[in-house]
Amino acid sequence: FIEEFPYAQFLDQRLAALGFCLQKLSARDHELIVSRYHRDSRIEALAKKVGRSESLVYKSLTRIHDLLLNCIRRRLSEGDGT
């Protein structure tokens, strides 16, 4: 069935790579990402929770996004998205 939808396989590989890369984050970075996206926390609430300015939270999220993007690209280029 998935052979009929190569894009679905592509997405599965990217999701698997994302899962792998999320596990490689430090506990602090992982918690920030989970709080922001899984728990849908607003930046203001995150800043208060972690005791940092909103600007620093944005900068941290940008840094983490870059780490994840580079990790995913590396993982996929190695042909091991799973």
Side-chain angles (χ1 to χ4, degrees), residues 36-77:
R36 175 67 180 111
Y37 296 105
H38 184 65
R39 297 183 189 129
D40 202 24
S41 296
R42 297 176 51 108
I43 297 297
E44 299 83 10
L46 278 175
K48 192 173 189 177
K49 177 182 175 183
V50 298
R52 290 193 258 167
S53 69
E54 291 177 28
S55 176
L56 281 178
V57 171
Y58 275 114
K59 287 179 183 178
S60 293
L61 288 170
T62 299
R63 178 184 55 76
I64 298 165
H65 289 154
D66 289 342
L67 287 172
L68 288 171
L69 178 61
N70 289 330
C71 177
I72 290 167
R73 285 181 174 163
R74 238 183 352 268
R75 189 88 174 148
L76 293 174
S77 72

Side-chain angles (χ1 to χ4, degrees), residues 12-22 71-72 75-76 81-82:
D12 285 346
Q13 290 170 343
R14 291 182 68 89
L15 284 172
L18 174 60
F20 173 85
C21 294
L22 282 168
C71 177
I72 290 167
R75 189 88 174 148
L76 293 174
T82 58

